[in-house]
Amino acid sequence: MRSKHKINEAVAQVPCFECPLLTCEGLRPLTKGQLDFTWSLKSGELHLERGGQIVVQGSISPHLYTLLSGIAFRFKTMEDGRRQVVNYLFPGDLVGLQGAMDDPLSHGAEALTNVRLCVFPRHRLFEIYEKHPRLAFDISWLAAKEETALDEHLLALGRRKADERIAYLALFLLRRGKQTGLAMENRLDIPLNQTQIADTLGLSLVHTNKTLQSLRRRKILNWQADGVTLLDIERAGALANFDLPDEAGRPFI
Amino acid sequence: MRSKHKINEAVAQVPCFECPLLTCEGLRPLTKGQLDFTWSLKSGELHLERGGQIVVQGSISPHLYTLLSGIAFRFKTMEDGRRQVVNYLFPGDLVGLQGAMDDPLSHGAEALTNVRLCVFPRHRLFEIYEKHPRLAFDISWLAAKEETALDEHLLALGRRKADERIAYLALFLLRRGKQTGLAMENRLDIPLNQTQIADTLGLSLVHTNKTLQSLRRRKILNWQADGVTLLDIERAGALANFDLPDEAGRPFI
DNA sequence: CGAGCTTTTGACGGTAGTCAACTGCGGTGG
DNA sequence: CCACCGCAGTTGACTACCGTCAAAAGCTCG
């Protein structure tokens, strides 16, 4: 299964000094000393195709990853098959921190596009805290931001109707896309199918489909297999009750 | 409003060496050196009555808190009044970390019982990372655990029916209660009203009420104004598809 | 004893889930 | 080359879970 999607586990490693994230608008670059250190930590690169599993729910991962390019998502699955997409991962995001803190991982992560990940050995995580307080702080920063995003998702699932949820998700993804240079002003290329949208928003596939069509007819947004286009940002924002204060200067490791 | 619930902002401070959390089963105590440090950081104590606001959504808080005793919850409010309880806070939990990382706080926190909080000045947060890597690591640990809990809540809101959600919440709170010594084997004293349960689970008040009665009639659990009693842990666990692997050794600051 | 809050109840309506069938498309293989 | 398959998207009919409205009952407190 997994190897089907795995391209290469130990491909030509990009040195941290040439990390593509360094030139990413919206991300705060690292200093020379920090790069020396992260480079000494880096144990490899993982390349996966769309659909590849980055980490598997229930497994114990010896690795910690930083997403270098592409988009992925985290999800949880219940024994009876019900699935919930929990959040999306964009370049610069850390994957597997929860697994590093305590054993069996309570969620999986899957590549939505082809992805490249930077691999760190989990057992050296604590070195970051010992030697590079600024980087350690940034890990907490990222974790706190993740919490903020999850809070917003909870509000969406708990208190918004289907069309509001979809508008919310579109705006949320667009914001993340802009932060990481993947999105245009009102368009994000992201190959999400309707099943995945449904699993993100706590809706059934059928109802998701009908609601997407309604939003398309109302000329609010157009969500196709290859990406979302916001047709009317004003009305989408009003519908979702959500505006996007896009902050910059997000750190990464 | 707020002062109505505020008992005392700068009461007799418990020295960190006598911190009630040190003797709390389920929490990992601090070393002498760490206690010296946290004591130098501690700037006061905040005591609030039930209903008091610990932090206010949209505000910029200069403080960071650790909950010393009592139970509280975090929540988000939309402009039109819809509200979502996002998570619960038990002794040892950190409050306001998200606010410390980036300005206006995206959620509020309210005391569910009378609470005592330890106050740290936000601007000294980075010192922890510089001087006490172990404590810094613990902050990340707590943040990662918070993420895990939020993931679980998302699964509950997205993919569970009303009765399953209530059973899930009961089990979740019982687990947290046991970790912090507040719960018995199958009973947790927690003064949650039905509006708060509804706002946690993304349900309406009326439907929450009817579902609670159904669970009572089915002898699965009994949720009253003063606490929850699990009448049949087996069936509750099966209904919620959730079992409680209660870990110990949770850190705190 | 009445004000105000929480809980409870009943009736009704709507949003969203389930079931089932059909379409369209890309890939595979006969 | 085209039949066949599988998957994603679409549609309609029916159902049910859950929300809304309104009112009453129980409780605490002044």
Side-chain angles (χ1 to χ4, degrees):
Chain A
M1 313 287 111
R2 186 170 169 181
S3 58
K4 171 184 164 193
H5 295 289
K6 187 181 296 191
I7 302 177
N8 201 331
E9 176 134 20
V11 274
Q13 296 183 23
V14 177
C16 290
F17 319 98
E18 296 166 20
C19 179
L21 299 176
L22 290 172
T23 57
C24 180
E25 298 269 344
L27 293 184
R28 181 170 53 65
L30 303 184
T31 67
K32 176 76 171 63
Q34 288 167 344
L35 288 172
D36 285 335
F37 178 67
T38 57
W39 178 236
S40 79
L41 229 48
K42 182 167 180 172
S43 68
E45 260 178 49
L46 178 61
H47 292 198
L48 293 173
E49 291 182 357
R50 167 174 170 82
Q53 305 296 312
I54 301 169
V55 293
V56 175
Q57 182 170 346
S59 72
I60 300 179
S61 169
H63 301 124
L64 200 60
Y65 305 92
T66 291
L67 185 54
L68 294 178
S69 69
I71 307 179
F73 62 89
R74 300 196 298 116
F75 63 95
K76 285 173 74 77
T77 308
M78 291 174 45
E79 290 161 6
D80 61 10
R82 284 180 278 184
R83 190 176 80 146
Q84 176 66 41
V85 173
V86 140
N87 203 7
Y88 290 84
L89 298 161
F90 282 76
D93 281 352
L94 215 48
V95 190
L97 182 65
Q98 301 180 45
M101 295 303 178
D102 194 49
D103 295 318
L105 203 51
S106 63
H107 65 263
E110 179 178 322
L112 206 49
T113 63
N114 291 352
V115 296
R116 284 187 301 156
L117 299 131
C118 184
V119 184
F120 299 112
R122 163 183 169 171
H123 70 270
R124 293 186 62 191
L125 176 60
F126 190 60
E127 277 181 46
I128 302 179
Y129 288 80
E130 291 176 312
K131 298 183 188 163
H132 284 269
R134 179 70 220 184
L135 294 179
F137 186 84
D138 290 342
I139 293 177
S140 296
W141 194 98
L142 287 170
K145 282 299 167 192
E146 175 80 7
E147 281 181 32
T148 304
L150 296 178
D151 287 352
E152 275 170 352
H153 294 163
L154 275 166
L155 177 61
L157 292 207
R159 290 301 179 213
R160 281 191 246 256
K161 301 190 178 292
D163 56 351
E164 300 174 329
R165 291 188 206 180
I166 291 180
Y168 159 76
L169 181 61
L171 290 168
F172 172 82
L173 290 174
L174 195 71
R175 182 176 72 185
R176 295 299 328 271
K178 281 186 190 172
Q179 283 172 357
T180 47
L182 297 180
M184 327 254 54
E185 181 55 29
N186 55 1
R187 157 86 193 176
L188 172 66
D189 290 321
I190 183 172
L192 260 193
N193 64 33
Q194 296 184 359
T195 302
Q196 291 163 335
I197 297 176
D199 283 346
T200 304
L201 298 176
L203 299 169
S204 71
L205 172 58
V206 173
H207 195 244
T208 300
N209 177 285
K210 287 172 180 166
T211 309
L212 283 172
Q213 291 181 53
S214 154
L215 288 167
R216 208 172 296 155
R217 261 185 285 106
R218 291 193 271 161
K219 300 198 189 310
I220 293 176
L221 57 83
N222 188 357
W223 206 319
Q224 309 272 7
D226 58 349
V228 218
T229 307
L230 269 288
L231 302 175
D232 188 336
I233 293 205
E234 290 297 319
R235 282 202 295 151
L239 180 61
N241 241 290
F242 179 76
D243 26 34
L244 27 175
D246 41 4
E247 15 107 326
R250 196 180 172 90
F252 68 94
I253 311 292
Chain B
M1 315 286 109
R2 186 170 169 181
S3 58
K4 171 185 166 193
H5 294 288
K6 187 180 296 189
I7 303 178
N8 201 331
E9 176 134 21
V11 274
Q13 296 183 25
V14 178
C16 290
F17 318 97
E18 296 165 21
C19 180
L21 299 176
L22 290 172
T23 56
C24 180
E25 298 269 346
L27 293 184
R28 180 169 53 67
L30 303 185
T31 67
K32 176 76 173 60
Q34 289 168 341
L35 287 171
D36 285 335
F37 178 67
T38 58
W39 178 235
S40 79
L41 229 49
K42 182 167 180 172
S43 68
E45 262 178 45
L46 178 61
H47 292 197
L48 293 173
E49 292 181 357
R50 168 173 168 83
Q53 304 297 313
I54 300 170
V55 293
V56 175
Q57 182 171 347
S59 73
I60 301 179
S61 169
H63 301 125
L64 199 61
Y65 306 92
T66 290
L67 186 53
L68 295 178
S69 69
I71 307 178
F73 62 89
R74 300 196 301 115
F75 63 96
K76 286 175 75 77
T77 309
M78 291 173 46
E79 289 160 8
D80 61 11
R82 282 179 280 181
R83 191 175 78 149
Q84 177 66 42
V85 173
V86 141
N87 203 7
Y88 290 84
L89 299 161
F90 282 76
D93 280 353
L94 215 47
V95 190
L97 182 65
Q98 299 180 45
M101 295 302 178
D102 194 51
D103 295 319
L105 203 53
S106 65
H107 65 263
E110 178 178 324
L112 205 50
T113 64
N114 292 352
V115 296
R116 284 187 301 158
L117 299 132
C118 183
V119 183
F120 298 112
R122 164 185 165 169
H123 69 269
R124 294 187 61 191
L125 176 59
F126 191 60
E127 277 182 46
I128 301 177
Y129 290 80
E130 291 177 311
K131 298 182 190 164
H132 285 269
R134 179 71 220 182
L135 294 178
F137 186 83
D138 289 343
I139 292 176
S140 296
W141 195 97
L142 286 169
K145 281 299 167 192
E146 175 79 8
E147 280 180 34
T148 304
L150 296 178
D151 287 352
E152 275 171 350
H153 294 162
L154 276 165
L155 177 62
L157 293 208
R159 289 301 178 212
R160 281 191 247 256
K161 300 192 178 293
D163 56 351
E164 299 173 327
R165 291 189 207 179
I166 292 181
Y168 160 75
L169 181 61
L171 290 168
F172 172 82
L173 291 174
L174 194 71
R175 181 177 71 185
R176 294 300 327 271
K178 281 185 191 173
Q179 282 172 357
T180 48
L182 297 180
M184 326 254 54
E185 181 54 30
N186 55 1
R187 156 87 191 174
L188 172 66
D189 291 320
I190 184 172
L192 260 194
N193 64 34
Q194 296 183 0
T195 301
Q196 291 163 334
I197 296 176
D199 283 345
T200 304
L201 298 177
L203 300 169
S204 72
L205 172 58
V206 173
H207 195 245
T208 300
N209 177 283
K210 287 172 179 164
T211 310
L212 283 172
Q213 291 180 53
S214 153
L215 288 166
R216 210 172 295 153
R217 259 185 286 105
R218 291 194 270 160
K219 301 200 189 311
I220 293 176
L221 56 83
N222 187 356
W223 205 320
Q224 308 273 5
D226 58 350
V228 219
T229 307
L230 270 287
L231 302 175
D232 188 335
I233 293 204
E234 289 299 318
R235 281 203 295 153
L239 180 61
N241 241 293
F242 178 76
D243 25 34
L244 27 175
D246 42 4
E247 15 108 322
R250 198 180 170 90
F252 67 95
I253 310 291

